[in-house]
Amino acid sequence: METIKEYQKDDLTIIWKPKKCIHSGVCVKTLPKVYDPKTSPWIKPENASLEALKSQINACPSKALSYREL
């Protein structure tokens, strides 16, 4: 069974699929205040705007990160 983690900010749900992640570091380099693999939870969506989050997620090369809006 696939592991899926979800993180919420307002009407945006960030979806992370760890098995798809290739650890390219694009997320950490783009939004280091949001993505910090040394902390738990490692995704803190409250540290960026919705626009910045969506832009970064769209740039994820493996598509391990995605989102849905309510």
Side-chain angles (χ1 to χ4, degrees), residues 2-68:
E2 183 177 28
T3 300
I4 298 173
K5 304 277 185 167
E6 295 188 351
Y7 305 85
Q8 193 74 35
K9 177 175 177 161
D10 303 330
D11 290 340
L12 183 77
T13 302
I14 298 171
I15 303 158
W16 180 51
K17 296 180 180 179
K19 290 198 183 240
K20 287 184 81 174
C21 185
I22 61 171
H23 305 287
S24 68
V26 172
C27 55
V28 176
K29 291 173 193 161
T30 305
L31 293 174
K33 291 183 180 180
V34 173
Y35 301 96
D36 184 354
K38 295 178 183 164
T39 64
S40 182
W42 82 282
I43 299 176
K44 295 177 184 67
E46 64 273 12
N47 292 336
S49 69
L50 293 176
E51 295 76 24
L53 290 166
K54 290 191 278 187
S55 176
Q56 183 284 307
I57 291 167
N58 289 334
C60 179
S62 67
K63 303 301 179 204
L65 289 167
S66 61
Y67 63 88
R68 73 173 168 269

